[in-house]
Amino acid sequence: RQMVRRLVPASVVGETAMVASQLRKSSVEATTLSKVMSIRTAQLQRHLEDDPGMAVMLYHNLAAMLAERVEW
């Protein structure tokens, strides 16, 4: 195992795999007591189909997060 980065509260992981319809390529391990929320892709897709405004917001935020990662 190798630590790639330390996450902060409200971090999102697995979003690239979701957008690309691929399996995740890494895992996450908590080093302190944490609350975690997970959502399956199919469940998320249903929510996005029901609420196009939410879909726009989600994909906008994903694009911003991915752009920030490319800048490092």
Side-chain angles (χ1 to χ4, degrees):
R1 289 187 309 194
Q2 176 183 351
M3 183 188 299
V4 176
R5 69 184 154 131
R6 188 173 297 271
L7 302 175
V8 297
S11 291
V12 176
V13 295
E15 71 285 349
T16 306
M18 182 200 72
V19 171
S21 298
Q22 298 175 345
L23 294 175
R24 292 181 317 272
K25 294 183 170 122
S26 59
S27 60
V28 176
E29 182 178 318
T31 57
T32 62
L33 184 61
S34 303
K35 286 187 179 181
V36 178
M37 183 182 107
S38 93
I39 185 166
R40 296 192 182 280
T41 301
Q43 183 182 11
L44 179 61
Q45 291 296 355
R46 283 193 300 276
H47 285 296
L48 297 179
E49 289 168 9
D50 291 343
D51 188 347
M54 179 179 159
V56 169
M57 230 168 32
L58 173 76
Y59 287 113
H60 177 275
N61 290 338
L62 286 174
M65 286 187 320
L66 293 172
E68 184 179 303
R69 289 183 190 168
V70 170
E71 289 178 7
W72 321 344

